[in-house]
Amino acid sequence: MKKLFLLLLIIISAGQFAAAQQNPTMNIEGTASSIIGKLDKSIQLNEVQKPKLLTVVTNYLQQKSNLQSLQVTNEKAYKTKINSMQNGLHTRLKTILSDTQYASFLDLKPKAPDATNVLTQLYY
């Protein structure tokens, strides 16, 4: 009985470990703050824009995080939802940033997903 219990415990632990590896959690608030910091340096945000952008980016990252399991289970539905979310994000950004800032923001897009560039979270 003890061996069966131990075996069951090992199987459950291994499953949880594998799930954690497939869907790592993101520090949403920290990532959002890093994104705003990078944008501030690149496109010179004013004091009114910063909190508005922080809210928009935090909400976007939270929604994106909630979709991670869908990326594994239904890639087509994930892509549809993420495209819709990105369109909504850009619509909100256009209302906060000036035309010049928004054009500069678009120029900051990494050419491919890059784990060293925090802005990757907004584009990929």
Side-chain angles (χ1 to χ4, degrees):
M1 186 68 165
K2 287 182 182 179
K3 289 181 181 180
L4 181 60
F5 178 73
L6 185 58
L7 180 61
L8 185 59
L9 184 62
I10 291 171
I11 291 171
I12 291 172
S13 296
Q16 289 176 342
F17 178 75
Q21 294 300 316
Q22 290 175 353
N23 189 13
T25 57
M26 176 193 326
N27 176 350
I28 292 171
E29 290 79 17
T31 302
S33 293
S34 295
I35 289 170
I36 300 307
K38 185 160 187 164
L39 290 177
D40 186 27
K41 290 177 185 173
S42 301
I43 62 175
Q44 291 79 41
L45 301 173
N46 64 44
E47 295 307 313
V48 174
Q49 292 172 317
K50 289 177 191 177
K52 290 179 181 180
L53 279 177
L54 183 60
T55 299
V56 168
V57 169
T58 301
N59 290 341
Y60 174 79
L61 294 176
Q62 183 62 55
Q63 291 174 342
K64 186 176 176 185
S65 176
N66 292 340
L67 290 180
Q68 291 305 308
S69 63
L70 187 61
Q71 185 177 18
V72 175
T73 60
N74 189 339
E75 182 73 20
K76 184 177 179 183
Y78 172 79
K79 286 183 179 182
T80 300
K81 288 187 179 198
I82 205 75
N83 284 338
S84 175
M85 285 173 42
Q86 286 177 334
N87 289 337
L89 172 67
H90 284 266
T91 298
R92 288 182 198 91
L93 292 176
K94 287 178 185 178
T95 67
I96 298 170
L97 301 174
S98 69
D99 291 341
T100 304
Q101 286 174 315
Y102 184 73
S104 296
F105 168 77
L106 294 177
D107 289 340
L108 294 173
K109 180 179 180 179
K111 295 191 185 316
D114 180 357
T116 63
N117 186 343
V118 71
L119 295 180
T120 294
Q121 295 296 325
L122 297 179
Y123 291 104
Y124 300 99

